Amino acid sequence: MSKTYSISELANEFDVTTRSIRFYEDQELLRPARRGQTRIYSSKDRVRLKLTLRGKRLGLSLAEIRELFSLWDETRSGSEKQLHLMLSKIQERRAALEQQMKDITMVQLELESAEIRCRQALEELHQKQEEEAP
Amino acid sequence: MSKTYSISELANEFDVTTRSIRFYEDQELLRPARRGQTRIYSSKDRVRLKLTLRGKRLGLSLAEIRELFSLWDETRSGSEKQLHLMLSKIQERRAALEQQMKDITMVQLELESAEIRCRQALEELHQKQEEEAP
DNA sequence: AAACAAGTTTACGTTAACGTAAAGATGAAG
DNA sequence: CTTCATCTTTACGTTAACGTAAACTTGTTT
């Protein structure tokens, strides 16, 4: 018997609303089991949710995330044509991620330089204060 | 006389619609000059647009991007209180970027492993083909 | 039994980021 | 002059990703 989770347990752990979790299921990102009408989440479901939120932090739409999931799922069962299509989709995503890495690096540099400017401005303010009250 | 750009020049260069560019202006991300009623973009405006699109690729909302711009703009003129607020905002952003870096690394690993699975599945298919026609 | 907590479905509302269409101004080309 | 190409404003439409509220079921605590 591996561990299971209620919807609110997951909602608390990952700091999202139950509404969102149910919505992700509606979008076919999750497929929890049921006991009666109550949803029961396995640790696999939990991983899916984690991956979903990770994708969101990268700015992916739910549709794009779903596509990645089905890519992964069909890796085992695909035909040759399918597999080649998957490979190209995977390449596409990897290229986008590399672009994002570059973007992040650039923005980090800009923020760093903004921080330096900020600290310099602060120093100048403090020097003026010393001049006013010697 | 430094170079200027029309709205459609920028739209072509960055592969966005003129509608989007005007919308960004509406959201106060751009402030192009005017000749008559026609917009004229300086190279500074062009940089702003480039930064805007970079932010979008990272999943930032236009509001967040605007906040970053005003942080940068006010670095020179802020009061001490303002400057400290800016520093904390900058830290916030840098932390988010680091998280994003980690996320990207994870997803890259997952894609890599999906690619390997994919290639293995292809190899198995080809081996079967050889068995069928020796 | 009554109340309470946690879950459910259904459905309408909201916000961001544009798309799209209509109607007009402006300068250059035929 | 008129016919374009490119620009403009105004305004309504659309999609994604939920928020919010209402009404109901189910289990358990008092």
Side-chain angles (χ1 to χ4, degrees):
Chain A
M1 280 259 174
S2 57
K3 188 167 186 196
T4 65
Y5 307 84
S6 77
I7 192 168
S8 52
E9 277 176 325
L10 289 185
N12 281 324
E13 177 176 358
F14 293 109
D15 198 35
V16 293
T17 64
T18 59
R19 175 69 175 95
S20 297
I21 296 181
R22 292 197 193 95
F23 185 71
Y24 298 156
E25 179 178 351
D26 198 59
Q27 303 298 302
E28 299 175 80
L29 300 175
L30 300 172
R31 294 189 185 281
R34 299 265 178 156
R35 192 184 57 205
Q37 70 173 357
T38 303
R39 278 164 254 250
I40 311 234
Y41 296 86
S42 69
S43 32
K44 285 198 177 184
D45 293 322
R46 201 191 137 224
V47 170
R48 291 280 262 214
L49 178 55
K50 194 192 237 173
L51 292 174
T52 298
L53 298 176
R54 181 177 291 156
K56 289 212 67 187
R57 285 197 301 268
L58 296 180
L60 302 192
S61 70
L62 299 185
E64 290 170 318
I65 295 171
R66 181 179 51 211
E67 194 191 6
L68 286 177
F69 282 166
S70 49
L71 279 186
W72 177 259
D73 291 344
E74 291 165 22
T75 309
R76 290 284 182 208
S77 59
S79 68
E80 173 147 7
K81 213 176 141 194
Q82 273 275 332
L83 286 169
H84 275 109
L85 197 150
M86 282 180 223
L87 278 177
S88 78
K89 289 277 183 188
I90 290 176
Q91 285 306 333
E92 216 174 89
R93 271 279 146 240
R94 295 184 77 174
L97 286 179
E98 286 202 21
Q99 176 61 50
Q100 244 181 328
M101 278 281 206
K102 288 180 193 169
D103 287 334
I104 290 183
T105 307
M106 300 294 290
V107 177
Q108 271 179 339
L109 286 176
E110 282 149 21
L111 286 182
E112 200 171 327
S113 125
E115 186 172 340
I116 290 173
R117 268 175 66 166
C118 229
R119 295 199 185 283
Q120 280 180 351
L122 272 175
E123 268 206 38
E124 283 171 28
L125 277 183
H126 288 175
Q127 285 196 349
K128 282 203 176 175
Q129 280 191 351
E130 279 181 28
E131 284 170 24
E132 281 169 16
Chain B
M1 278 260 176
S2 56
K3 188 165 185 197
T4 65
Y5 308 83
S6 77
I7 192 168
S8 52
E9 276 177 325
L10 289 185
N12 282 323
E13 177 175 357
F14 293 111
D15 198 36
V16 293
T17 65
T18 59
R19 175 70 175 93
S20 296
I21 295 181
R22 293 199 192 94
F23 185 71
Y24 298 155
E25 179 178 350
D26 199 58
Q27 302 299 302
E28 298 176 82
L29 300 176
L30 301 172
R31 295 189 185 279
R34 300 266 178 154
R35 194 183 56 205
Q37 71 172 357
T38 304
R39 276 165 255 250
I40 311 235
Y41 297 86
S42 69
S43 31
K44 286 198 177 184
D45 293 322
R46 202 193 131 213
V47 170
R48 290 279 263 214
L49 178 55
K50 194 191 238 175
L51 292 175
T52 299
L53 298 176
R54 180 176 291 156
K56 289 213 67 188
R57 284 197 302 269
L58 297 180
L60 302 192
S61 70
L62 298 184
E64 289 170 319
I65 295 171
R66 180 178 51 210
E67 195 191 6
L68 285 177
F69 282 165
S70 49
L71 279 186
W72 177 259
D73 291 344
E74 292 166 20
T75 309
R76 289 286 182 205
S77 59
S79 68
E80 174 147 8
K81 212 177 143 194
Q82 273 275 332
L83 286 169
H84 275 108
L85 198 150
M86 283 179 222
L87 278 177
S88 77
K89 289 278 183 187
I90 289 176
Q91 285 306 332
E92 217 174 87
R93 273 278 146 240
R94 295 185 76 174
L97 286 180
E98 287 202 21
Q99 176 62 49
Q100 244 181 325
M101 278 280 205
K102 288 179 192 169
D103 287 334
I104 290 183
T105 306
M106 301 293 290
V107 177
Q108 271 179 339
L109 287 175
E110 281 150 21
L111 286 182
E112 200 171 327
S113 125
E115 186 173 341
I116 290 173
R117 270 175 64 166
C118 230
R119 295 200 186 283
Q120 281 180 350
L122 271 176
E123 268 206 39
E124 283 171 28
L125 278 183
H126 287 177
Q127 285 195 351
K128 283 204 176 172
Q129 280 191 352
E130 280 179 27
E131 284 170 23
E132 282 169 15

